[in-house]
Amino acid sequence: SQQGEEDPQALSIQEGENATMNCSYKTSINNLQWYRQNSGRGLVHLILIRSNEREKHSGRLRVTLDTSKKSSSLLITASRAADTASYFCATDAKDSWGKLQFGAGTQVVVTP
Amino acid sequence: DTGVSQDPRHKITKRGQNVTFRCDPISEHNRLYWYRQTLGQGPEFLTYFQNEAQLEKSRLLSDRFSAERPKGSFSTLEIQRTEQGDSAMYLCASSPEVNSNQPQHFGDGTRLSIL
């Protein structure tokens, strides 16, 4: 079963616009991670946010975490065509020994 | 390149055949994970190793599946008597010690197609 649920399932934007996607989960977590996957490739780690953190930045990426609502968001600012990919949130649940539970992902298409 | 490598990248086989995939993790990583990903879905956990010990197996891992990590280095995932439902991308990931709040590093996967 998949713990995380991403919203929206798909997102189409133009270059320069911001893209926001949300993730909800069900259990207590050690951390929440966001990954990107290009078609036919493996997952690339973007950001890890710990359960005691509320916001984290990395370049054009901003992640928030609200443990009371069991939700997270990923914001990509000033999007580029190269940002076209599927984005997944994954939770490292407490007592899970590090195994990740992924959502179904958000497919983002950035058009020039 | 010192990332996670998987071999082969693609495998096409007939139903009923056995297949074996290999994963070479990042050398200093103790933890190794296998996931399966079907089209349009996120990866689903299959099993993981701490060094050479297999510590957990998902119920997705039927008795036709077996994984090993001899000597705590590379790992193999074997599927016996393949079925069409086994068609998927099989992903391997590695990470450092448990409870270190470290991300997992993924390989590019092995895409399995069952004819």
Side-chain angles (χ1 to χ4, degrees):
Chain A
S1 64
Q2 304 205 299
Q3 150 141 272
E5 297 286 339
E6 281 99 340
D7 172 59
Q9 290 185 346
L11 185 59
S12 184
I13 56 175
Q14 291 191 319
E15 270 191 329
E17 294 182 337
N18 295 343
T20 300
M21 57 210 87
N22 303 295
C23 169
S24 61
Y25 59 93
K26 298 174 184 173
T27 63
S28 296
I29 61 173
N30 295 314
N31 62 69
L32 184 144
Q33 304 176 33
W34 284 92
Y35 288 83
R36 184 186 75 223
Q37 185 177 37
N38 291 92
S39 181
R41 303 297 299 273
L43 281 76
V44 174
H45 177 258
L46 297 176
I47 288 186
L48 181 151
I49 186 164
R50 301 182 186 197
S51 60
N52 61 354
E53 296 175 315
R54 291 297 166 257
E55 189 170 313
K56 210 161 181 182
H57 298 254
S58 177
R60 295 183 295 111
L61 306 179
R62 172 178 170 258
V63 167
T64 63
L65 179 65
D66 187 335
T67 53
S68 66
K69 295 181 179 178
K70 290 186 167 58
S71 67
S72 175
S73 69
L74 170 66
L75 168 68
I76 305 173
T77 60
S79 62
R80 305 167 181 169
D83 294 329
T84 294
S86 292
Y87 292 82
F88 295 92
C89 71
T91 52
D92 176 359
K94 288 189 185 298
D95 301 323
S96 71
W97 296 93
K99 72 181 182 187
L100 296 177
Q101 289 186 291
F102 288 84
T106 294
Q107 189 171 355
V108 175
V109 175
V110 182
T111 53
Chain B
D1 187 303
T2 57
V4 177
S5 64
Q6 293 188 244
D7 182 69
R9 288 292 312 279
H10 304 275
K11 180 71 176 179
I12 301 173
T13 192
K14 293 182 179 179
R15 185 165 49 108
Q17 298 295 304
N18 299 343
V19 293
T20 300
F21 312 139
R22 177 180 170 123
C23 170
D24 287 271
I26 293 172
S27 58
E28 61 268 25
H29 285 182
N30 298 325
R31 282 279 166 128
L32 186 147
Y33 304 83
W34 285 99
Y35 295 87
R36 182 172 70 187
Q37 184 180 24
T38 53
L39 202 60
Q41 297 298 314
E44 291 181 294
F45 168 78
L46 292 179
T47 188
Y48 76 89
F49 293 82
Q50 170 78 16
N51 298 314
E52 68 275 9
Q54 187 174 18
L55 296 184
E56 187 175 342
K57 295 194 293 186
S58 162
R59 63 180 181 275
L60 294 174
L61 218 63
S62 74
D63 56 5
R64 296 184 297 105
F65 289 71
S66 62
E68 294 183 340
R69 193 184 181 194
K71 303 177 183 178
S73 55
F74 71 91
S75 175
T76 57
L77 178 67
E78 181 183 16
I79 309 174
Q80 296 182 328
R81 305 180 304 281
T82 52
E83 302 173 356
Q84 290 209 325
D86 297 331
S87 294
M89 173 81 91
Y90 290 84
L91 294 162
C92 175
S94 68
S95 70
E97 301 172 9
V98 65
N99 294 331
S100 62
N101 275 312
Q102 293 292 320
Q104 292 183 17
H105 298 261
F106 282 79
D108 277 337
T110 293
R111 180 166 294 285
L112 175 64
S113 298
I114 306 297
L115 302 177

